[in-house]
Amino acid sequence: MPGFSPNVICTYPSTHNSSEHVILSAHYDSRGSFGNTRAPGGDDDGSGTGHLLGIVEAIKRGEVQFEKKVQVAFFSGEEQGLFGSHAFAGELFITRDDTSADVRIPSQDKRDCNPAHSG
């Protein structure tokens, strides 16, 4: 899509013979949208993609294996209208993909780490 970075999709095999797969996703686009110069990248995009990269590192070290195929998806164009995830969903629809779930890793709000906000 002109003006946007590509989605980054990585596929990891399953330990069992399964046609189903699960998507783990986050988005990495950080720029202003539609005349707004605010780009909350460190909190919003950076924390979600950082957590997802931690999962990828655990997969790489062999510490995590899955019974179903897993696709790790880093989407672009989400702040501007969910462009990356919609394009990917369209591809899955066309191929009649057997997706069980998409676990989206959102921003990790810094207030969650503040003792003053704990319940």
Side-chain angles (χ1 to χ4, degrees):
M1 200 171 346
F4 293 98
S5 301
N7 288 333
V8 178
I9 312 295
C10 304
T11 303
Y12 298 95
S14 63
T15 58
H16 294 74
N17 187 14
S18 174
S19 64
E20 293 180 88
H21 79 275
V22 173
I23 301 166
L24 305 175
S25 66
H27 66 100
Y28 69 93
D29 56 326
S30 181
R31 65 180 196 182
S33 305
F34 308 112
N36 185 352
T37 58
R38 184 175 180 277
D43 240 2
D44 185 6
D45 305 337
S47 61
T49 56
H51 281 81
L52 192 52
L53 284 170
I55 294 170
V56 169
E57 182 63 30
I59 294 169
K60 179 181 169 187
R61 288 192 307 260
E63 297 171 2
V64 179
Q65 295 183 340
F66 303 97
E67 291 183 11
K68 296 178 181 170
K69 179 175 75 172
V70 170
Q71 286 188 295
V72 175
F74 296 89
F75 295 127
S76 179
E78 297 299 277
E79 301 291 355
Q80 293 74 31
L82 304 174
F83 294 133
S85 56
H86 282 194
F88 187 64
E91 292 172 20
L92 296 177
F93 179 77
I94 289 169
T95 61
R96 305 246 186 248
D97 196 82
D98 194 4
T99 303
S100 299
D102 176 6
V103 179
R104 169 110 358 155
I105 300 175
S107 72
Q108 305 301 307
D109 191 331
K110 64 181 172 259
R111 290 177 292 169
D112 293 343
C113 301
N114 186 339
H117 289 90
S118 61

